[in-house]
Amino acid sequence: MKRIITLQDISCVGSCSITVALPIISAMGVECGILPTAVLSTHTMFKTFTCKDLSDQIDPISDAWEKEGIDFDGIYTGYLASAEQCRQVCGFFDRFKKQGNLIMVDPAMADNGKLYPAFDEKFPAEMAKVCAKADMIVPNITEASLLTGMPYKEEYDRAYIRELQEKLLALGCKTVVITGVSYDPEKLGVSSLDKDGNEFEYFRCRCPKSYHGTGDAYASVILGGLMRGLELGDALKLATDYVVKCIEETMASEDSRWYAVDFQTQIPYLCSELQTYTK
Ligand code: PXL
């Protein structure tokens, strides 16, 4: 069994970050270690939330793992609490990068044209340094524009997405996966480009609603899929199909929560789909 480590916050209630990555990646048959970067009462879309930064734990925990000879097949970072923590995470990559393991960065910091409330405008430049060290990054369009300095657009064409991808590759990462891409009002999906020019796109019908936590579920399935040996294109299809199913079921549910997608109820669907790819 492959082992990955994910560095992101624990939002105690809110179904995001570690509380999404841990169940999804485990259900996919991959050991999921965690390095919590902060503990929050909820995610930051709630009006009131607490946040205890755990930056001072990153180095001692890493030291202990190094002494124990623990290593990882994948390193997956999500929401990071501060610019300083971005610098620490770069140091973590330097320590735990090895030949053949995969660093995946979800620069979770913005959506719908806006930075999340906890960040200031200097934060994207620090996150860009984290992305530079990654094998793969999975930004949405808002994050891609903040990382590259390109204008954020709600209406765009393929040339705009291609330029974002090329500028992101120029940061230093090897593969760019942009989520939430749409060239047709009826369709929404994903577009990837790697440094050798390989591209992949996959679209499904656009769901009329969007929910928090879908980016975290998406990234978790991509990483889980890659760890289970899927080609990138198959991992992106699996992640897209799963997230669409989660959104559809959340819309249909009478007791869904405002603050998160119901990713939990569709874990059996995810596992049975995964089997069709790994047979
Ligand atoms: O889902 C991304 C995310 C993760 N962690 C925290 C967040 C958010 C999005 O708002 O606030 C703390």
Side-chain angles (χ1 to χ4, degrees), residues 222-244:
I222 295 172
L223 189 67
L226 293 173
M227 289 295 121
R228 290 299 309 275
L230 271 57
E231 298 289 332
L232 178 61
D234 286 343
L236 296 181
K237 274 175 75 180
L238 176 64
T240 308
D241 291 342
Y242 170 65
V243 168
V244 167

Side-chain angles (χ1 to χ4, degrees), residues 34 37 39-40 48 78 85 94 101 115 127 129 133 160 192 206 237 243 255 279:
I34 62 169
T37 52
V39 182
L40 291 89
T48 313
Q85 209 166 69
D94 292 338
N101 71 357
L115 270 173
M127 185 57 92
K129 294 180 194 158
K133 288 180 163 282
Y160 172 72
S192 75
R206 181 193 283 274
K237 274 175 75 180
V243 168
D255 62 354
K279 253 196 244 153

Side-chain angles (χ1 to χ4, degrees), residues 19-180:
T19 62
V20 170
L22 191 48
I24 288 181
I25 293 169
S26 301
M28 295 178 80
V30 176
E31 180 184 349
C32 181
I34 62 169
L35 181 39
T37 52
V39 182
L40 291 89
S41 52
T42 59
H43 63 57
T44 61
M45 297 296 144
F46 285 75
K47 279 203 211 76
T48 313
F49 60 87
T50 66
C51 179
K52 169 74 179 163
D53 190 307
L54 297 178
S55 297
D56 65 354
Q57 295 302 302
I58 295 178
D59 287 342
I61 290 175
S62 306
D63 292 344
W65 286 340
E66 231 172 23
K67 280 204 185 117
E68 290 290 335
I70 294 171
D71 57 14
F72 306 105
D73 300 299
I75 302 173
Y76 158 31
T77 72
Y79 187 99
L80 301 177
S82 64
E84 171 55 25
Q85 209 166 69
C86 291
R87 291 188 278 277
Q88 280 188 299
V89 165
C90 289
F92 184 90
F93 291 165
D94 292 338
R95 289 177 84 166
F96 288 95
K97 177 70 193 162
K98 58 172 192 180
Q99 181 108 43
N101 71 357
L102 179 94
I103 297 181
M104 187 180 87
V105 171
D106 176 1
M109 61 179 175
D111 205 0
N112 300 314
K114 282 203 290 256
L115 270 173
Y116 292 150
F119 302 127
D120 64 23
E121 70 287 355
K122 293 200 202 103
F123 186 78
E126 289 307 316
M127 185 57 92
K129 294 180 194 158
V130 181
C131 291
K133 288 180 163 282
D135 294 301
M136 182 178 303
I137 64 170
V138 291
N140 59 35
I141 294 177
T142 306
E143 290 156 350
S145 75
L146 288 166
L147 289 166
T148 56
M150 279 182 56
Y152 169 71
K153 291 189 185 171
E154 278 173 10
E155 282 180 27
Y156 48 81
D157 54 13
R158 280 197 155 75
Y160 172 72
I161 296 296
R162 184 47 101 110
E163 195 177 342
L164 282 175
Q165 288 168 328
E166 281 169 355
K167 291 212 157 110
L168 289 165
L169 288 170
L171 293 176
C173 55
K174 301 192 186 84
T175 302
V176 172
V177 174
I178 302 189
T179 60

